[in-house]
Amino acid sequence: MEVVGKLPALDVIRGWPTVYRCTELNAYDPSREHDAFLLSMWSGEFQKIWADHLTASGAPLVVASYEDHGRHESECHLDLARTVGFCGDIPEPYCATDGVPLPFTEGGRIALLADTSNPDPEWQRKRWPYFKELARRLQEAGYQVCLIGGQAEAGEFDHSRWPQGVLNLAGNYTIPQTAYLIQKAGLIIANDSGAAHMAGAVGADA
C-alpha cells in the first residue's frame, strides 16, 4: 500500500508496517502501476490534480463516503479496506513516535495545551479562546503546563500574555517527537487538531 499525502500527515504513519511507501503529493509518480485507488474523504486535491490519470488508469476507484453522520469517520474510512477484503474490527490506532529527552518530569502532573488549528478561516473560528486562563487554573491545581504546536504557533507565542512558568515547546519538535511527549505527559487539552488525534492514537487522556 502506497499512501499519498502531505506533510505532516505522512509523518504520523511512517514506520507503520501496513504501509509500503509514503509519498508526498507533489512527488507522486503516475507512471507507477496500481491495482486500485482508495481515496479518503480528504483527497479532493489529489483527485483534482490527477483526474485524467485516475480515469485513464483503468484501476478500480473507491472513494470514502460520509453520508451517514451517525458513523465515526474511522468507520467510513475503514470501508475502503473492506472493499479489498478486510473483514476484522477497527484495529488499534497507530501513530509514529520518536523518543526524545523529556522537557518535563515524567510521572509528574503534566498538562499539555495545544492551541493549534488549520490556518483555514473555517477552522480558525473553532479555536477555543480560553487557553491562557486554563493554564493559570491548571497551575493553581498543581500542574506543570507546557504548550505544544508547530512553527505557526511558535511564531504567535507572546510570553507576556501567558502565566509565568508556562513552558513553550511549540516549534521545537517533529510530529513523531510531539506524539512521544503527548504519550509521556498523559494529559492534553487541544482544539480539533492533529495534536488531539495523535493523543487518541497514543492513549493519552485528551
Side-chain angles (χ1 to χ4, degrees), residues 49-115:
I49 295 171
W50 299 108
D52 292 342
H53 165 62
L54 293 172
T55 301
S57 71
L61 180 67
V62 185
V63 183
S65 171
Y66 196 36
E67 294 177 357
D68 181 359
H69 293 280
R71 300 177 75 209
H72 192 275
E73 187 178 312
S74 60
E75 275 282 359
C76 298
H77 280 120
L78 198 58
D79 287 343
L80 297 175
R82 294 184 178 113
T83 64
V84 291
F86 179 76
C87 57
D89 296 327
I90 292 182
E92 289 297 313
Y94 174 85
C95 180
T97 58
D98 185 10
V100 291
L102 296 177
F104 46 76
T105 303
E106 185 174 4
R109 301 191 77 192
I110 310 299
L112 300 185
L113 303 186
D115 182 17

Side-chain angles (χ1 to χ4, degrees), residues 3-198:
V3 175
V4 180
K6 295 180 178 180
L7 297 176
L10 292 177
D11 289 336
V12 174
I13 60 172
R14 293 190 195 278
W16 187 25
T18 303
V19 176
Y20 174 74
R21 178 187 289 115
C22 289
T23 302
E24 290 190 54
L25 180 61
N26 58 7
Y28 173 69
D29 181 3
S31 67
R32 190 180 296 129
E33 186 176 348
H34 295 83
D35 297 312
F37 292 95
L38 308 178
L39 302 182
S40 81
M41 61 185 68
W42 302 104
S43 50
E45 187 172 351
F46 178 86
Q47 290 178 267
K48 182 178 180 179
I49 295 171
W50 299 108
D52 292 342
H53 165 62
L54 293 172
T55 301
S57 71
L61 180 67
V62 185
V63 183
S65 171
Y66 196 36
E67 294 177 357
D68 181 359
H69 293 280
R71 300 177 75 209
H72 192 275
E73 187 178 312
S74 60
E75 275 282 359
C76 298
H77 280 120
L78 198 58
D79 287 343
L80 297 175
R82 294 184 178 113
T83 64
V84 291
F86 179 76
C87 57
D89 296 327
I90 292 182
E92 289 297 313
Y94 174 85
C95 180
T97 58
D98 185 10
V100 291
L102 296 177
F104 46 76
T105 303
E106 185 174 4
R109 301 191 77 192
I110 310 299
L112 300 185
L113 303 186
D115 182 17
T116 61
S117 180
N118 187 307
D120 183 278
E122 284 299 302
W123 286 80
Q124 285 293 311
R125 66 183 176 81
K126 297 172 66 176
R127 292 181 79 168
W128 194 60
Y130 306 111
F131 277 101
K132 298 175 184 66
E133 172 64 15
L134 175 62
R136 182 185 66 78
R137 294 193 183 194
L138 285 168
Q139 287 179 326
E140 291 174 351
Y143 283 89
Q144 181 181 359
V145 178
C146 306
L147 307 181
I148 60 171
Q151 292 297 332
E153 288 75 33
E156 295 174 354
F157 182 75
D158 180 354
H159 278 281
S160 65
R161 299 177 61 195
W162 287 84
Q164 187 174 2
V166 169
L167 183 60
N168 179 29
L169 306 178
N172 294 337
Y173 296 93
T174 66
I175 293 294
Q177 289 170 347
T178 299
Y180 178 78
L181 297 182
I182 293 171
Q183 186 179 52
K184 291 299 182 180
L187 172 64
I188 176 173
I189 301 168
N191 292 317
D192 182 1
S193 62
H197 298 308
M198 289 193 296

